[in-house]
Amino acid sequence: MRFPITRMRRLRSSETLRHLVQETHLTRWDFVYPLFVVPGEKKRREIKSMPGCFHFSIDMLVEEVKEIRDLGIPAIILFGIPEKKDAIGSEAYAEQGIIQRAVRAVKKSVPDILIITDICLCEYTDHGHCGLISNQQILNDPTLELLAKTAFSHADAGADIVAPSDMMDGRVAAIRKILDENGFNTIPIMSYAAKYASAYYGPFREAAESAPLFGDRRAYQMDPANGREALREVLLDIEEGADIVMVKPALPYLDIIYRVKEKTGYPVAAYQVSGEYSMIKTAAQLGYIDEERVINESLIAIKRAGADIILSYFARHIVPSLI
């Protein structure tokens, strides 16, 4: 049927009708809130490049997580900035490392929040890269042991999910092996399976103090021009034991989110990264956009593309308005 019998505008004529036929809905269960943990006490310091986001010392983190839980956010992901850094990122897998202590403190005070921990070395190495280096080359295989040790230490501290973000080949299998061998066979792995070497990470580098001292991460993170390669990465991670696969960033890679979901049927996470967040916040502060509508539209787009889980710095802002 064609016009005038078919009139697509009929179902757009009122807010109630629009809600009744809306295809994609955000709920609080879609969201994971990223948080940054720093040494010290009574610290709650705003991150200049990410307005509305903060560095928290562990005592203040616990109070923040209580508020997050009360707002209805079901899960957090933790990133740690250690007191000291070295060439091998030893604080990443130390028993009393910043994340290990943070996980124990949060689990003690807010046991019903789900804790995901980022598994990488870049925040902990003095060179800022995600693995061991030799002659300014990133060593893949020797790095796997340290990533596995980090994941084990996080699980042992009480993390509910571990999320390797380093993009080393074979890291999921190495982590699955050490977890299973140590009685953590029920701990899921949320793999950053298609993580691109993106220019959208800039504000995060300040927040996590993880900018590399030389070169960049294009030797191990993905080329933004490649789509089919993302599917290969995802399928390899699933074969190695990943339970959830992630695409990062989110909005510039909606096509990848869609293709991964259609190809695998696996739970798909998408990370709305710091650059996506900061661009919206800055444009809104300058009066160029309607912040509320752009936040909602960007998140709806990510879910419409196929994401089951959205890691977003906007979670604290938007979840209270959701069912």
Side-chain angles (χ1 to χ4, degrees):
M1 291 289 189
R2 295 186 178 182
F3 179 83
I5 301 301
T6 301
R7 292 179 179 266
M8 298 298 291
R9 289 181 56 190
R10 286 193 188 108
L11 299 181
R12 303 172 191 159
S13 58
S14 72
E15 185 172 2
T16 301
L17 272 172
R18 290 192 294 272
H19 279 298
L20 284 173
V21 299
Q22 184 174 323
E23 298 174 15
T24 307
H25 297 269
L26 296 170
T27 79
R28 71 184 188 91
W29 298 105
D30 297 326
F31 287 96
V32 175
Y33 190 42
L35 290 164
F36 298 94
V37 194
V38 296
E41 295 181 351
K42 300 190 182 304
K43 289 184 180 179
R44 184 181 184 271
R45 183 175 65 243
E46 188 168 32
I47 299 165
K48 183 179 179 181
S49 60
M50 299 175 65
C53 295
F54 298 83
H55 286 133
F56 295 99
S57 55
I58 292 174
D59 55 334
M60 299 301 289
L61 174 75
V62 169
E63 296 308 308
E64 177 72 4
V65 174
K66 288 177 182 176
E67 289 187 28
I68 287 167
R69 185 267 319 276
D70 292 344
L71 288 173
I73 297 172
I76 60 174
I77 183 167
L78 296 178
F79 298 91
I81 295 91
E83 292 187 28
K84 58 184 177 68
K85 302 188 180 195
D86 57 33
I88 59 173
S90 59
E91 286 296 299
Y93 41 88
E95 184 179 353
Q96 295 301 318
I98 186 75
I99 288 297
Q100 290 81 350
R101 289 185 286 121
V103 170
R104 287 192 285 266
V106 171
K107 274 297 177 187
K108 181 178 179 180
S109 297
V110 199
D112 49 342
I113 201 86
L114 186 139
I115 302 176
I116 306 168
T117 58
D118 180 74
I119 306 299
C120 198
L121 301 182
C122 62
E123 296 117 289
Y124 305 91
T125 55
D126 54 13
H127 48 75
H129 279 287
C130 301
L132 299 177
I133 59 171
S134 176
N135 297 320
Q136 295 195 346
Q137 298 294 315
I138 312 303
L139 305 177
N140 190 96
D141 294 10
T143 298
L144 300 184
E145 181 183 355
L146 302 187
L147 295 170
K149 287 173 62 176
T150 302
F152 166 68
S153 71
H154 290 188
D156 194 48
D160 298 294
I161 297 176
V162 295
S165 63
D166 54 283
M167 289 299 285
M168 298 296 124
D169 293 332
R171 78 273 174 70
V172 173
I175 290 170
R176 186 74 273 160
K177 183 174 185 290
I178 197 171
L179 292 178
D180 289 358
E181 288 176 349
N182 287 277
F184 293 110
N185 60 310
T186 61
I187 298 292
I189 297 173
M190 182 171 74
S191 167
Y192 289 63
K195 181 179 180 180
Y196 284 85
S198 172
Y200 283 84
Y201 302 147
F204 179 93
R205 302 270 166 81
E206 177 198 340
E209 300 176 7
S210 62
L213 291 184
F214 63 88
D216 54 41
R217 296 182 176 134
R218 286 182 288 182
Y220 43 101
Q221 294 177 1
M222 285 186 55
D223 184 339
N226 292 355
R228 291 186 295 272
E229 182 187 1
L231 293 178
R232 293 178 63 198
E233 287 277 13
V234 167
L235 292 172
L236 282 168
D237 281 6
I238 289 172
E239 184 180 329
E240 290 180 17
D243 302 281
I244 303 167
V245 290
M246 186 194 299
V247 176
K248 180 183 181 184
L251 207 58
Y253 298 92
L254 296 179
D255 61 317
I256 306 302
I257 296 170
Y258 177 81
R259 290 162 73 176
V260 168
K261 188 64 179 179
E262 289 295 297
K263 178 71 173 179
T264 70
Y266 262 62
V268 176
Y271 201 142
Q272 186 183 43
V273 299
S274 59
E276 298 174 70
Y277 173 86
S278 294
M279 286 194 302
I280 292 173
K281 294 295 289 187
T282 302
Q285 288 174 352
L286 293 171
Y288 296 158
I289 60 172
D290 182 323
E291 182 174 8
E292 294 292 329
R293 291 184 63 188
V294 171
I295 291 170
N296 188 71
E297 188 174 341
S298 65
L299 293 168
I300 282 284
I302 295 165
K303 187 168 183 183
R304 189 182 66 239
D308 303 287
I309 301 165
I310 303 173
L311 290 77
S312 175
Y313 303 98
F314 288 119
R316 201 184 201 286
H317 178 87
I318 196 168
V319 163
S321 66
L322 302 177
I323 298 173

